[in-house]
Amino acid sequence: MPKKMSVGIYLEEVPDIQHALTDSRESGFNTICCELLTKKYSLNELSGEEQNCEEPFGWFDMALPSADWNSSVVGVLSDVQEQTESHIFNVRTRASQLLEKQMGYAHHLGLPATILNLHPGDSCNLSRLIYSKVTTDGGYHSNVVVWMRLPMVHSKQTVNGAIDVGREESDDIQPISSWNTWNTFRTVGYAERRTFPVLDLPVDLPDQDEIDRWLGEPVKAIFISEESFISNQKGFPVLPKRTQHVIRSFFDIGAQVIMICKPEKSPNHYVHHKQYIEYIYGLYTSEWEEDPVRKYTKGYEDYLQSPLQPLMDNLEANTYEVFERDPTKYNLYQKAMAKALVFKIPEDQKDTKTLVVMVVGAGRGPLIRNCLAAADSVQRRIKIYAVEKNINAVCTLLHLKKHVWGDAVTVISCDMREWHPKEKADIIVSELLGSFGDNELSPECLDGAQTFLKGS
Ligand SMILES: C[S@@+](CC[C@H](N)C(=O)[O-])C[C@H]1O[C@@H](n2cnc3c(N)ncnc32)[C@H](O)[C@@H]1O
């Protein structure tokens, strides 16, 4: 979820930037998105027409104080992909110059971000240009951020590459993934932390798989058009249930909302805008069930972690606490344990047979909890040895034994490589895989522990 919710508005035409910002703020929007350079200038530049040197090519920078430029205006860059990918050298050069000029002006104004459309098809040169212009080390454009705007859903493309949105799907039209378009673009030249995807939310939402793919990307904003809203019984604009759910999942990854509203001439447009904004703030602030995996991984997205070395070091309480929040891992351990118990103790022996389970590297006991819960769920009996070499975690295990587990668990404060158990195990449970499968030295530790098993 973004720390502070921001709702922006996308404005097609802005005759007066000062007025547009004041007007939008009165409606409740925090940001406006509008074209950075004049249309005429951009078109002339792309087509090679002579420019009128007396005409200002962009906004009057003194129209707004820097604080407003820096926080409240997102500059829309001219659509140049067709030209940057052209086979004609001069066309490509002019597009590159225009891009350069726009980014230079965005830098001059200190805009927090710029928006550039990304279309299906070739984008290699565009990607290269953006990369080179936003990553110039310590250079001129190095603080410009570019949001690449594309639709969230598949568009349809004919085999020869022409985009065809209106036609029915047929043999010569294959769906292409919008995510693939982004992926190709960023694979060529990914200016990490300078280029981000921003998505148009379609009225007909794509499959959840497609949405999930996007949720793995650093999506900065979702464009919502008025058409996505429906009226409730009282006549207020609301979003369909699934759309609400999708938007909330994008809030979870820090995306903001930008509304695309029809150009309103009526004095009533404030009322409409306020209704949309209030609804979106309501969505943002209302309680909802956050995805447990996302909750657990929050703050660790896209960062390489230096691997832990729990054999050499004693892990601290807060480190245990972080990985104990992983719901998937522990659920799967518990399921596996339940299956193993049913496999090893037939139904007719469930009241007479007790299995010996050793949890080696028990930490603060989550796997012990899972083993006990699994045994409970399938009504099988077990006796657990919890082996742990970190004396501080052993203290936790002893607390849990005293207050929760009782005689079902025996705590062994020892390095498993030095332990000589008095009885053998039916099942050994461990979780020493670590980030790279070997940085916790699991082979070195578990190889010796195999001898604890019955029959070894
Ligand atoms: C990644 S943690 C997992 C802890 C716990 N099983 C869990 O899932 O939360 C690995 C644990 O194994 C312990 N450990 C590592 N090597 C060990 C060894 N040779 N003998 C006993 N414990 C060991 C560490 O101290 C640490 O508590």
Side-chain angles (χ1 to χ4, degrees):
M1 208 192 286
K3 286 188 197 86
K4 195 172 151 279
M5 179 62 191
S6 162
V7 184
I9 183 165
Y10 190 90
L11 300 168
E12 280 292 339
E13 274 174 30
V14 175
D16 177 339
I17 189 114
Q18 205 174 24
H19 182 252
L21 187 60
T22 316
D23 202 29
S24 304
R25 279 181 175 160
E26 263 171 46
S27 299
F29 294 106
N30 314 84
T31 335
I32 57 172
C33 308
C34 53
E35 282 188 352
L36 182 61
L37 302 193
T38 65
K39 248 193 191 75
K40 189 160 178 219
Y41 179 87
S42 298
L43 289 175
N44 283 351
E45 191 75 4
L46 284 179
S47 60
E49 292 277 307
E50 205 173 314
Q51 297 282 18
N52 177 352
C53 300
E54 311 249 305
E55 235 353 87
F57 54 83
W59 295 114
F60 181 34
D61 59 357
M62 292 170 81
L64 297 176
S66 287
D68 284 346
W69 287 119
N70 299 168
S71 63
S72 310
V73 182
V74 172
V76 178
L77 309 182
S78 314
D79 211 340
V80 287
Q81 188 174 341
E82 197 185 323
Q83 288 80 3
T84 59
E85 307 311 305
S86 165
H87 296 295
I88 303 165
F89 176 76
N90 284 347
V91 173
R92 283 202 310 275
T93 308
R94 287 197 295 264
S96 165
Q97 282 164 351
L98 177 61
L99 203 55
E100 170 101 30
K101 189 140 208 165
Q102 297 185 94
M103 291 172 78
Y105 205 57
H107 175 84
H108 170 76
L109 296 174
L111 303 187
T114 56
I115 297 177
L116 181 62
N117 286 340
L118 181 62
H119 303 285
D122 287 347
S123 65
C124 292
N125 196 34
L126 180 68
S127 180
R128 181 190 67 80
L129 285 169
I130 303 243
Y131 182 82
S132 67
K133 292 188 194 310
V134 299
T135 57
T136 330
D137 223 3
Y140 178 50
H141 301 307
S142 53
N143 67 353
V144 177
V145 166
V146 188
W147 290 353
M148 303 305 299
R149 180 180 176 188
L150 66 172
M152 185 186 285
V153 268
H154 295 99
S155 20
K156 298 199 181 96
Q157 192 175 45
T158 54
V159 175
N160 65 13
I163 302 162
D164 193 333
V165 183
R167 288 171 55 183
E168 287 297 306
E169 214 166 300
S170 70
D171 284 351
D172 64 337
I173 298 179
Q174 293 162 1
I176 54 157
S177 159
S178 183
W179 181 85
N180 282 341
T181 304
W182 157 250
N183 195 35
T184 309
F185 171 84
R186 62 102 173 268
T187 307
V188 173
Y190 185 33
E192 203 187 350
R193 302 192 187 287
R194 288 275 183 268
T195 44
F196 301 91
V198 291
L199 303 174
D200 278 283
L201 186 83
V203 177
D204 294 324
L205 294 174
D207 295 346
Q208 192 57 38
D209 283 356
E210 194 66 19
I211 292 171
D212 286 345
R213 259 203 315 186
W214 278 120
L215 288 170
E217 299 293 339
V219 178
K220 283 286 169 194
I222 295 290
F223 288 86
I224 306 178
S225 73
E226 284 178 295
E227 280 86 58
S228 290
F229 284 82
I230 49 176
S231 287
N232 70 6
Q233 281 170 346
K234 291 183 184 153
F236 288 109
V238 293
L239 290 167
K241 274 265 171 313
R242 178 145 186 257
T243 313
Q244 293 177 26
H245 177 78
V246 169
I247 292 175
R248 281 172 166 163
S249 44
F250 280 97
F251 284 159
D252 276 350
I253 61 163
Q256 317 243 335
V257 166
I258 297 171
M259 283 290 307
I260 306 175
C261 304
K262 289 186 214 101
E264 280 278 5
K265 301 280 181 275
S266 80
N268 247 356
H269 73 277
Y270 285 120
V271 179
H272 290 138
H273 289 174
K274 278 203 168 102
Q275 286 174 345
Y276 296 134
I277 292 171
E278 274 165 20
Y279 183 82
I280 288 167
Y281 276 112
L283 260 192
Y284 178 75
T285 47
S286 61
E287 291 280 311
W288 78 88
E289 191 70 38
E290 202 178 345
D291 180 70
V293 174
R294 190 149 295 126
K295 213 155 126 190
Y296 159 67
T297 51
K298 192 170 282 174
Y300 296 94
E301 302 92 348
D302 302 334
Y303 285 103
L304 279 179
Q305 304 290 314
S306 52
L308 296 172
Q309 299 200 19
L311 182 61
M312 184 169 75
D313 308 322
N314 277 341
L315 301 182
E316 293 145 21
N318 70 345
T319 311
Y320 282 114
E321 197 175 288
V322 170
F323 58 68
E324 282 165 11
R325 276 192 235 129
D326 179 347
T328 313
K329 176 175 92 180
Y330 295 112
N331 284 342
L332 291 173
Y333 263 101
Q334 189 163 320
K335 277 190 185 155
M337 191 64 193
K339 282 194 169 171
L341 291 177
V342 171
F343 176 72
K344 287 206 165 250
I345 310 181
E347 185 70 21
D348 58 349
Q349 292 176 22
K350 66 179 192 184
D351 297 325
T352 49
K353 192 169 175 181
T354 302
L355 288 192
V356 176
V357 177
M358 291 176 181
V359 179
V360 290
R364 304 197 308 176
L367 292 178
I368 295 166
R369 230 183 338 268
N370 291 138
C371 290
L372 292 170
D376 205 36
S377 70
V378 293
Q379 296 168 324
R380 300 302 195 264
R381 296 172 179 210
I382 57 169
K383 168 183 177 187
I384 301 182
Y385 288 94
V387 187
E388 175 54 55
K389 62 98 204 169
N390 175 356
I391 185 68
N392 307 312
V394 166
C395 186
T396 321
L397 294 172
L398 291 172
H399 271 287
L400 289 166
K401 175 178 166 64
K402 186 169 171 189
H403 300 291
V404 188
W405 300 325
D407 291 340
V409 179
T410 306
V411 177
I412 309 289
S413 174
C414 172
D415 187 317
M416 67 180 90
R417 292 169 301 173
E418 287 152 17
W419 187 43
H420 301 288
K422 292 202 177 73
E423 61 178 326
K424 296 256 181 175
D426 295 283
I427 297 175
I428 293 183
V429 184
S430 86
E431 193 279 284
L432 291 175
L433 267 182
S435 328
F436 297 110
D438 63 354
N439 56 295
E440 296 193 18
L441 298 185
S442 68
E444 286 83 346
C445 295
L446 295 178
D447 190 42
Q450 303 299 316
T451 58
F452 304 161
L453 275 175
K454 278 182 186 160
S456 61

